[in-house]
Amino acid sequence: VRRVGSFLVELLAAVPSVVYGFLGIIFLRPVMDSFFQAIGQPNTASGGGILTAGILLAIMIVPYITAIAFDACRSVPRSQREAALALGATRWQMIRTAVLPYARPAIIAACLLALGRALGETMAVTMVIGNRTAIEWSISAVGDSMASVIANRLNEADSPQIRSALVTLGLLLLVITAALNILGRLLIRRMTRLSTPSALPSIETSSVSASPTQITVDRLDYRLPRSRWNPIADRLMTGVLALCLLVALIPLFLILFHVVRLGASSISWDFFTQTPKPLSTGSPGGLKHALVGSVMLVGMTLIFAVPLGVLTAIFLAESQAYRLTAFVRFVTEVLGGVPSIVLGIFAYAVFVVPPFLQVDRPSFSAWAGSFALTVMMIPVVVRASEEALRMVPPTLRQASFALGANYWQTVVRVLIPAALPAILTGIILAASRIAGETAPLMLTAGGSNFMPKGPGYPTPFLPWYIFKYSTSAEPEYQRLAWSAALVLLLTVMVLNIVTRVLSGKRLISASRAD
C-alpha cells in the first residue's frame, strides 16, 4: 500500500497546473456554481471565484505536503518506534507519541513550502478565479491574485509605469514566497540536526535502576493510558488515515478519467499533422506547431541546464570544506521554490523588454523561453545530481586515487559513471516539470499559430493552447484542448514512470563497483 500510494501521490504532484485549471473549469466550477445557488449567493463567474481557486490550490498542494511529511516520518529513528511499542503503546499511540512530535518541524516546513507554491501558482488560479478587479466580502466573490494579474496584464502593458507596477508586484510575490521557503528550509535543517546520533537524548547511567523484574528510567516519563478502548481507537485511526489517502488521490482519478475519456475520443491524425485553421474551413486543424515548439523549448533547456546543473552539483558534493558551498546550496534550494511567474518576469526583463535597449515592442523568442525554463530546471538537476554523487561509496574514490588518477579523472571516469542512473533520474524529473510550464513561457516565448521559424522568433507551446482553447465557446477548440491535455499528461506521466524505474536502479552501478 505504501509503495502504490507514494507512487500515485508522485503522479498527482506531476500533473501540470494548466491541466488542473482545465479540470477546475470542467468539473469544479459547475459544482461550485450549484453550491452558490443552493446557499443563495449570486456568482458572476459561473462558479469561479476566490473560494473555487482556493479549493483547487488545496488540491494541488496536498501532494507536496504529503511527500515531505512522508519523508519526515520515515526519518524518525526506528528505536523510538520500538521503544514506544515495547512500553505497551498501540500502533496509533506510537505514531502520536513517538513519530509525530519528532517529525513536527518538517511537517510544519512542508506546509510552509506548499503555501509558498500556492501563492506563486498562476495558470490554475487564472483559469478559475474570475479575473475581476474588485474586492468583495462574499463567499462567492471573484477577484485576482498577484500571479494572475501579472500573467494577464504584463504582455499588454502599454506604458513603462504599468509595467513597473506589475514588476513591483512580482517583487512582492518573490519576497513573500522566499521568506516562506527560507523558513521551511530552516525547519527541515533543524530536524536534520536532531536526527543525527549526537543530537539524540542520552540517558545517564545513574538515572537507571535495574532489578530482575523491571527497569525504571527516571529521566523519561511515558504516560500511555491503558484502556480496553485502545485497540478500537487503533483500528479506527488506521481506517481514518487510509481514508485520507483515498480522498487525496480522488483528484488524480478524476483527472485521468476526464482527460482520457474526452481526450482519447477527440484525438485524431490531424492533431499531429496540421496547424490551427479557421472553423470556416470545416476543421479546427491540429497542434503540430505547438508540439514542435514544445520539443524545441525543452531541448534547448536541456542543453543549457544539464551541464551547468551537473557541474554545480560536482562542486557542492566534492567541495565540502569551502564556506561558499553551504551558501550555494542554500541559494539553490531557495531558487527551487521561486514562483515560475517571477522567473518569467526575470526572463521578460532580460530578453523580451530589456531596459538597456530601446525597443518599440516586446521581442518574444525561444531564447527567452528556454532561459526562463533553464533557471527553473537548474535547482532540480543540482539537487538530484548532488545526492547521486554523495551516494557513491568512498572506496571508489580511494581506489581511483590509489591507482594514480588525479581528481578530475576520478570525477569523470569513476564518480559520474557510478552516479549516472540517479543523475538521469533527476534530469528526467526536471524535464517533466518544465514540459507542462505555461506562465513563464507566456511572458517569454509569446506563442504563435505557425510553425516555429527558429530560436529568435515567437514560439508556440502546447500548454498555452490548453489554456487558450479550454475557455473557448467553440466545441471544436475545446476538443483540441482535451487532446492537447491528454498528450501533455501522458508525456509527463511517462517521464515520471521512467524516473521511478531508474530511481529503483540508481544504486546498482555503485553497489556493483563497491
Side-chain angles (χ1 to χ4, degrees):
V1 171
R2 179 179 61 188
R3 186 180 299 112
V4 174
S6 62
F7 175 66
L8 294 177
V9 168
E10 289 177 3
L11 288 183
L12 188 60
V15 175
S17 60
V18 69
V19 177
Y20 274 111
F22 202 179
L23 179 69
I25 292 175
I26 300 300
F27 179 78
L28 189 57
R29 285 181 61 169
V31 172
M32 296 304 297
D33 192 27
S34 301
F35 170 72
F36 292 144
Q37 292 179 6
I39 63 175
Q41 292 286 339
N43 180 264
T44 59
S46 301
I50 296 177
L51 178 60
T52 307
I55 294 174
L56 188 60
L57 283 176
I59 295 172
M60 294 180 65
I61 67 175
V62 161
Y64 296 92
I65 299 176
T66 302
I68 300 177
F70 174 59
D71 290 337
C73 292
R74 292 185 67 185
S75 67
V76 176
R78 184 178 179 181
S79 57
Q80 290 192 198
R81 293 182 170 87
E82 294 176 345
L85 294 173
L87 289 169
T90 63
R91 186 168 180 270
W92 169 243
Q93 286 179 320
M94 177 268 293
I95 294 173
R96 180 171 56 84
T97 60
V99 176
L100 293 181
Y102 186 92
R104 186 182 296 116
I107 295 175
I108 296 174
C111 298
L112 292 174
L113 294 174
L115 181 60
R117 173 173 172 80
L119 287 172
E121 178 54 45
T122 305
M123 299 314 302
V125 172
T126 302
M127 296 169 76
V128 298
I129 199 171
N131 301 305
R132 305 285 177 83
T133 307
I135 299 178
E136 302 176 6
W137 302 104
S138 170
I139 193 173
S140 61
V142 298
D144 269 320
S145 69
M146 289 186 286
S148 67
V149 169
I150 296 170
N152 285 326
R153 301 185 184 180
L154 186 58
N155 282 342
E156 301 175 358
D158 54 0
S159 68
Q161 291 78 13
I162 297 177
R163 189 178 297 116
S164 299
L166 293 173
V167 173
T168 304
L169 192 62
L171 176 62
L172 178 61
L173 179 60
L174 173 63
V175 171
I176 295 174
T177 55
L180 290 173
N181 277 278
I182 292 173
L183 182 58
R185 298 294 177 185
L186 292 177
L187 287 173
I188 291 177
R189 290 193 175 190
R190 176 176 179 270
M191 182 178 175
T192 303
R193 289 196 300 269
L194 291 176
S195 64
T196 57
S198 60
L200 295 178
S202 59
I203 301 177
E204 300 293 341
T205 305
S206 60
S207 65
V208 180
S209 60
S211 69
T213 58
Q214 69 176 28
I215 295 179
T216 304
V217 183
D218 298 333
R219 289 183 59 185
L220 299 181
D221 183 18
Y222 287 93
R223 300 184 181 275
L224 300 173
R226 298 181 179 275
S227 170
R228 62 187 180 90
W229 298 106
N230 285 346
I232 299 177
D234 183 62
R235 289 192 293 269
L236 177 63
M237 290 307 303
T238 300
V240 169
L241 296 178
L243 180 62
C244 290
L245 174 62
L246 292 177
V247 171
L249 294 177
I250 286 177
L252 177 63
F253 299 131
L254 285 175
I255 291 172
L256 292 176
F257 174 75
H258 283 285
V259 172
V260 172
R261 180 176 65 89
L262 298 176
S265 62
S266 303
I267 204 164
S268 64
W269 184 247
D270 292 343
F271 177 83
F272 299 99
T273 59
Q274 296 184 5
T275 55
K277 298 179 180 179
L279 293 180
S280 58
T281 61
S283 171
L287 296 178
K288 171 186 175 182
H289 66 308
L291 293 171
V292 175
S294 294
V295 171
M296 185 173 71
L297 287 168
V298 173
M300 293 173 60
T301 303
L302 290 173
I303 293 173
F304 299 141
V306 171
L308 184 58
V310 173
L311 290 175
T312 304
I314 293 174
F315 169 77
L316 295 177
E318 303 298 324
S319 304
Q320 300 291 336
Y322 293 99
R323 294 182 179 180
L324 183 62
T325 303
F327 175 75
V328 173
R329 183 180 294 112
F330 187 75
V331 170
T332 303
E333 292 177 353
V334 174
L335 181 61
V338 174
S340 60
I341 190 67
V342 175
L343 299 179
I345 293 176
F346 176 53
Y348 180 88
V350 173
F351 284 92
V352 180
V353 188
F356 48 83
L357 295 177
Q358 296 295 329
V359 294
D360 298 331
R361 58 181 181 178
S363 54
F364 301 105
S365 66
W367 293 117
S370 63
F371 176 78
L373 295 181
T374 297
V375 179
M376 291 183 59
M377 187 175 181
I378 284 176
V380 182
V381 176
V382 170
R383 181 66 182 271
S385 301
E386 182 188 2
E387 293 297 328
L389 292 169
R390 293 175 67 179
M391 287 190 301
V392 177
T395 52
L396 291 182
R397 296 178 175 85
Q398 298 166 4
S400 177
F401 292 141
L403 291 172
N406 58 33
Y407 176 75
W408 186 244
Q409 288 174 326
T410 301
V411 169
V412 173
R413 297 188 178 185
V414 178
L415 300 184
I416 292 180
L420 189 59
I423 293 176
L424 290 177
T425 299
I427 293 173
I428 296 173
L429 182 64
S432 67
R433 177 187 175 186
I434 65 172
E437 280 297 331
T438 311
L441 296 181
M442 288 174 58
L443 304 181
T444 53
S448 170
N449 288 329
F450 306 98
M451 289 293 295
K453 297 180 180 179
Y457 295 89
T459 305
F461 51 98
L462 199 59
W464 162 248
Y465 282 92
I466 300 176
F467 170 69
K468 179 180 179 181
Y469 287 163
S470 62
T471 56
S472 174
E474 300 294 340
E476 291 82 359
Y477 288 138
Q478 290 185 4
R479 284 195 289 270
L480 271 183
W482 281 114
S483 301
L486 176 61
V487 171
L488 180 61
L489 188 62
L490 288 178
T491 302
V492 171
M493 287 195 168
V494 167
L495 290 175
N496 276 268
I497 292 173
V498 171
T499 302
R500 185 82 172 191
V501 173
L502 288 178
S503 64
K505 302 178 180 179
R506 60 188 176 185
L507 292 178
I508 291 179
S509 299
S511 62
R512 287 179 178 175
D514 193 25

